[in-house]
Amino acid sequence: MADRHTHSSGRHNGKAGAASLVVDSPTAVRNVAVVGPSGSGKTTLVEALLAHTGTISRAGSITEGTTVCDHDPVAVRQQRSVALALAPLVHEGIKVNLIDTPGYLDFLGELRAGLRAADAALFVVCAADGVDEATAALWRECAEVGMPRAVVISRLDHPRADAMGELAACQSAFGAGVQPLYLPVGAQALLGLITQRLIDYSAGPAPRIGDVPEADRDRFTEARNQLIEGIIEQSEDETLMDRYLAGEEIAVETLINDLETAVARGSFHPVVPACAFTGVGLAEVLEVVTKGFPSPQERPVPPVTTVDGKEHAELTADPAGPLAAEVVRTTADAYVGRVSLVRVFSGTLRPERPVHVSGHGMAERGHADHDTDERVAHIYSPLGAQLNEVPYCVAGDLCALTKLGSAETGDTISDPREPLLMKPWAMPEPLLPIAVVAKNRSDEDALARNLSRLVAGDPTLRLERNAETNQLVLWCMGEAHADVALSRLRAGGTEVETEDVRIPMRATFTSKAHGRGRHVKQSGGHGQYAICEIDVEPLPRGSGFEFVDKIVGGAIPHQFIPSVEKGVRAQLAKGVTDDPYPVVDVRVTLVDGKAHSVDSSDAAFQTAGALAVKEAAAAGNVVPLEPLDDVEITLPDEYLGAVLGDLSSRRGRVMGTESADNGHTVVKAQVPAVELVRYAIDLRSLTSGTATFTRKFARYEPVPQGAFASAH
């Protein structure tokens, strides 16, 4: 790192072949998630690094849809990443698995999957945009698990680029340990703070190495001193600071060794300015990645259990250990079928071998628990959409498997003789409902199949068949996520449309009412005869339904009492007014009736019970009930007023607020569910994407008279 060796472009001759993508030891692997906000230049940087190392012959273009990572048709159309993509390269004998992740919040699930597969994170921030709250929150999330991080200040050629201002913004947002290894000189040169050399790219990709210009001497000296002090603070040599303060010149080799150790353990975070189009900083980024970031053997393996939940010994990234791998992404290819992107944590995956596929703990997302033995046919090293066959994949590496019919994102792959299970990583809750319907009846089967495949590959989707509204609801992360899901359904040959999401309503009685049900039909022969009288009265919310028998003197024979209750229950479930809302929280008391010794029957008294309830409701004392949700919103303090005002406009009741860390507030409120259908979109717009919320059903409440039209 930091120009330890002679500076070189790092290029290979020709395209990286499959042989160069095979490693025998985890020490030769670096798994790096490339993260940052949308538009920061992540995919463009990955493309430049691939071209710089000769992995591809020339860098593709996002606007032309020719990049390696954004190969999805939706990504090409939207000109932004919508899914994680793997792009391996080889630099100085180290295989670097670059995991390009989407920066848009709708695809947070893809980002989380990328972080699960990685051992370090490369934060890419644009030199013209500052650091947004979502990126700062992601930094804190990585810090909580001790993930090593580095920062690339990209797009130095942007007309509004201010690399030094962006550096200050990063240090403010990310906190201690963030220090530049290089200072930019315009958009075409860097000053190496440790080596004290100027690296000038103005003449092309092979830089000229020179002395620090006199004009930059003061800022260079100040930045270098801060960097050295930061490195020494991280050093395990406690005498180093005293020697430095005494005026001793610390050897470059010592500084670099301590720097690499601090970066690998996640306590120091180097910053490198870079420009994908001019090539500035590309070699320096590769130095940080290969020499500073840890190998898989230096990172802990996620804990595993047996498939029945029993504890298992801790695993390490040992190619000879028990097989434990995880599916981090699932896609469907038109030619090869299901493709599973897999991170091997322990053991070695080999072709033509049986494996055990386990998936547990995702039933609420539509992924039923499953345990299946399958056979691995071929193993591939993917480069975007391209699959290069490889003979094996060792612990610490990533690969792709095809035609594992039961494998879903988040599943564990292990040895059938020792089946294991990894707990799925934390997935965000989808909060935007989209009601989907097949355009034609002939498309209904295809819609069901494609929805099943879609949900299997994306755990941030949740599929729900609402029995009350008879709608098929696909819960998504946001509009962009919904657009991607619908596009993939249509690309799979399904003619699908959307419709308004209907909210399941209820109804109840507001006061006591009397009803008489008379079902008498006698036209010769065996007839029907049943008369019953009931009182209906409201119960406290959440009480459900009660049936009380107060028949005296055998007015209705004992065997027909359950028939009346059955008829009442059936009618309440169907609704008692023009709006077919189930009636809840009532007590029905059977007070009187009549029967016929020949013509009375179970069916007749069921009908009479139903008629009695409808008559009781005819008095007009039935009101609709709407579901109310408990909502908890976490947002920056600056947006509190706007969010509270918006909640009020949604008929929400704020139950309380409390301060959280990092200048945030947690708002607890109760809001009608009908007002939350598009809240995921509206809250993001209101807070510039910085707020999050959760919702949980609370209870049903009467709909205010003026609000009935919107709830209806």
Side-chain angles (χ1 to χ4, degrees), residues 412-477:
T412 305
I413 296 175
S414 56
D415 191 318
R417 296 167 297 182
E418 189 179 356
L420 299 174
L421 183 67
M422 288 184 176
K423 184 180 179 181
W425 58 89
M427 280 293 176
E429 186 69 23
L431 295 167
L432 176 66
I434 304 293
V436 295
V437 60
K439 187 175 182 179
N440 305 300
R441 291 187 65 86
S442 59
D443 290 316
E444 290 180 355
D445 288 343
L447 176 60
R449 288 194 304 271
N450 286 338
L451 279 171
S452 177
R453 283 197 291 262
L454 192 66
V455 174
D458 188 350
T460 59
L461 290 171
R462 178 159 55 87
L463 188 61
E464 172 189 286
R465 168 67 77 175
N466 193 306
E468 294 184 40
T469 65
N470 201 33
Q471 284 187 308
L472 198 59
V473 180
L474 191 64
W475 289 82
C476 307
M477 295 292 295

Side-chain angles (χ1 to χ4, degrees), residues 188-549:
Q188 295 187 320
L190 299 176
L191 293 174
L193 294 182
I194 291 182
T195 58
Q196 306 185 67
R197 307 296 285 171
L198 174 71
I199 309 165
D200 185 356
Y201 286 87
S202 59
R208 295 193 298 258
I209 308 299
D211 296 328
V212 177
E214 198 60 38
D216 295 301
R217 177 61 62 179
D218 289 344
R219 73 181 183 114
F220 169 84
T221 301
E222 180 182 359
R224 187 173 192 270
N225 289 340
Q226 290 178 356
L227 173 63
I228 292 175
E229 290 173 11
I231 295 173
I232 291 175
E233 286 177 1
Q234 300 291 332
S235 177
E236 296 177 355
D237 185 348
E238 297 179 358
T239 69
L240 207 56
M241 180 62 78
D242 292 336
R243 289 157 51 196
Y244 172 72
L245 294 176
E248 181 180 333
E249 183 71 23
I250 307 300
V252 169
E253 194 72 17
T254 299
L255 291 173
I256 292 176
N257 287 335
D258 286 342
L259 172 62
E260 291 175 355
T261 300
V263 172
R265 69 173 175 238
S267 59
F268 192 87
H269 317 292
V271 182
V272 180
C275 179
F277 294 106
T278 63
V280 171
L282 298 182
E284 288 72 24
V285 169
L286 288 170
E287 289 263 26
V288 169
V289 167
T290 56
K291 295 185 172 60
F293 282 164
S295 75
Q297 285 187 331
E298 299 172 74
R299 298 289 297 161
V301 171
V304 298
T305 65
T306 62
V307 293
D308 55 1
K310 295 179 181 177
E311 290 188 7
H312 189 279
E314 184 177 314
L315 298 179
T316 61
D318 179 4
L323 178 61
E326 190 169 38
V327 180
V328 295
R329 185 158 194 269
T330 308
T331 55
D333 186 274
Y335 300 102
V336 299
R338 184 173 294 192
V339 179
S340 303
L341 181 62
V342 172
R343 162 74 193 259
V344 181
F345 285 100
S346 172
T348 300
L349 263 177
R350 299 185 186 278
E352 303 300 332
R353 300 285 178 87
V355 295
H356 184 82
V357 180
S358 292
H360 291 208
M362 295 286 286
E364 73 282 359
R365 296 291 181 95
H367 302 257
D369 290 356
H370 52 277
D371 288 280
T372 312
D373 286 347
E374 298 202 42
R375 192 173 193 83
V376 173
H378 302 279
I379 300 177
Y380 302 91
S381 178
L383 178 62
Q386 177 183 327
L387 298 177
N388 300 299
E389 189 166 359
V390 292
Y392 50 82
C393 183
V394 301
D397 204 356
L398 282 91
C399 64
L401 306 178
T402 58
K403 301 178 181 179
L404 287 182
S406 64
E408 300 180 353
T409 301
D411 282 3
T412 305
I413 296 175
S414 56
D415 191 318
R417 296 167 297 182
E418 189 179 356
L420 299 174
L421 183 67
M422 288 184 176
K423 184 180 179 181
W425 58 89
M427 280 293 176
E429 186 69 23
L431 295 167
L432 176 66
I434 304 293
V436 295
V437 60
K439 187 175 182 179
N440 305 300
R441 291 187 65 86
S442 59
D443 290 316
E444 290 180 355
D445 288 343
L447 176 60
R449 288 194 304 271
N450 286 338
L451 279 171
S452 177
R453 283 197 291 262
L454 192 66
V455 174
D458 188 350
T460 59
L461 290 171
R462 178 159 55 87
L463 188 61
E464 172 189 286
R465 168 67 77 175
N466 193 306
E468 294 184 40
T469 65
N470 201 33
Q471 284 187 308
L472 198 59
V473 180
L474 191 64
W475 289 82
C476 307
M477 295 292 295
E479 277 187 309
H481 192 210
D483 180 38
V484 170
L486 293 173
S487 296
R488 287 176 177 159
L489 285 174
R490 290 166 180 146
T494 305
E495 290 292 329
V496 62
E497 295 179 340
T498 62
E499 59 184 15
D500 291 339
V501 175
R502 296 190 290 273
I503 302 300
M505 304 282 284
R506 298 284 188 272
T508 196
F509 282 68
T510 58
S511 61
K512 190 172 182 178
H514 182 77
R516 183 173 187 266
R518 183 178 186 274
H519 183 61
V520 178
K521 290 186 178 181
Q522 291 177 306
S523 57
H526 188 70
Q528 299 180 51
Y529 190 98
I531 297 174
C532 67
E533 295 189 31
I534 62 171
D535 288 332
V536 185
E537 56 188 313
L539 292 175
R541 201 71 58 236
S543 299
F545 170 78
E546 290 182 16
F547 184 82
V548 179
D549 171 21

